[in-house]
Amino acid sequence: MPTHHRLIVIHATILLGMVAAATVAAQETAPAVEQSVKPGVNAKFLDESLDVDAWIARFEVESREVYHARDEVLKACGVKPGLRVADVGAGSGFYTRLFSRTVGPTGWVYAVDISPKFLQHISTSTSQLGMHNITCVLGGERSIQLPPQSVDLVFICDTYHHFEYPQSTLASIYSALDKDGSLVVIDFERIPGTSRAWTIDHVRAGKATFRQEIEEAGFELAAAPKIEKFSENYFLRFRKKLAE
């Protein structure tokens, strides 16, 4: 074989080896695509035939703890005039309305939900009430769809267990919070042998697991106040942990 042909073969072999090594390295370092923790958990909320009035009757009733304790919860959140709040999983919007009144004209509330029908209800009802400091945001299954550092508080009430892709969603929450931002999570105590069968079947994990997921996403627990009117729910407030 002529010398110049041999050099071409050698160079090609080296190049192919480099490409193969780079491919392996990329496969080893590329982040894995997050898998659903509970496929179909939000199917009923995405259904075009969703009966909003039926859900309002379930959500806005004194027998529901988070509704009954709404004033106590609002106080524990530390909401005050001028704050920017994201109500993630806003549902019928009863906390959205409370936040709107509390932050006042100098603050703002983002009602985030994956259900277009819930958002349409919130938009219509709050407009009729003269609340003009609210923006409805159609959230995605992996993101709350808010710009970086756009809010001071993210509020998640009975909704964290509906996060189908919690790692991705928490990353979007971390990004959306300002540097001194807080994350409030209210969810159900899931204790085998103690909690209701509905909770065991519906809520995928207990408080310790959810707390670990949130802390691994860059948050640290700031407070876990006792809400006197809670018997099945818990309240956790986290702060955004900044890089040192």
Side-chain angles (χ1 to χ4, degrees):
M1 178 183 295
T3 302
H4 69 282
H5 286 172
R6 187 166 58 252
L7 289 173
I8 292 173
V9 171
I10 291 172
H11 290 167
T13 302
I14 292 173
L15 180 60
L16 287 172
M18 291 172 64
V19 170
T23 301
V24 170
Q27 290 173 343
E28 290 177 348
T29 58
V33 176
E34 184 181 6
Q35 300 300 307
S36 168
V37 295
K38 195 171 183 179
V41 67
N42 295 311
K44 58 190 173 186
F45 298 118
L46 297 172
D47 192 330
E48 293 182 359
S49 64
L50 179 77
D51 186 342
V52 174
D53 289 335
W55 284 101
I56 292 173
R58 292 178 61 176
F59 286 161
E60 299 184 24
V61 60
E62 293 294 337
S63 60
R64 187 185 181 203
E65 282 191 0
V66 294
Y67 187 77
H68 183 56
R70 56 194 180 278
D71 293 334
E72 196 177 352
V73 167
L74 193 66
K75 182 178 179 180
C77 286
V79 180
K80 58 186 178 181
L83 282 188
R84 300 163 298 166
V85 179
D87 182 8
V88 175
S92 65
F94 71 89
Y95 270 110
T96 296
R97 298 191 297 272
L98 290 173
F99 290 139
S100 172
R101 295 186 183 102
T102 306
V103 302
T106 59
W108 206 265
V109 181
Y110 297 91
V112 182
D113 208 284
I114 62 170
S115 169
K117 297 198 74 172
F118 275 148
L119 294 178
Q120 181 59 53
H121 164 72
I122 292 172
S123 177
T124 301
S125 61
T126 56
S127 178
Q128 291 173 346
L129 291 170
M131 296 178 171
H132 304 302
N133 59 347
I134 297 170
T135 298
C136 289
V137 179
L138 183 62
E141 61 182 8
R142 298 174 187 268
S143 172
I144 64 170
Q145 305 291 1
L146 289 177
Q149 298 184 328
S150 58
V151 293
D152 305 297
L153 170 67
V154 171
F155 178 78
I156 305 170
C157 181
D158 284 357
T159 303
Y160 185 85
H161 65 269
H162 277 277
F163 286 1
E164 191 172 348
Y165 301 91
Q167 294 177 15
S168 302
T169 306
L170 284 167
S172 74
I173 290 170
Y174 185 93
S175 173
L177 279 168
D178 211 341
K179 59 182 180 180
D180 296 320
S182 296
L183 166 63
V184 166
V185 175
I186 298 172
D187 219 296
F188 295 97
E189 292 279 11
R190 186 186 189 279
I191 306 171
T194 300
S195 300
R196 289 184 296 149
W198 176 87
T199 303
I200 298 298
D201 292 340
H202 180 67
V203 180
R204 66 178 175 85
K207 176 169 61 178
T209 297
F210 288 172
R211 175 180 171 178
Q212 180 180 353
E213 292 174 356
I214 294 166
E215 289 177 337
E216 288 176 350
F219 297 90
E220 58 185 358
L221 186 66
K226 178 175 175 56
I227 305 299
E228 293 297 332
K229 293 179 181 178
F230 278 1
S231 60
E232 294 186 320
N233 286 96
Y234 58 83
F235 182 112
L236 299 176
R237 187 170 72 247
F238 297 86
R239 67 167 60 92
K240 182 175 180 178
K241 187 162 58 175
L242 302 178
E244 296 179 356

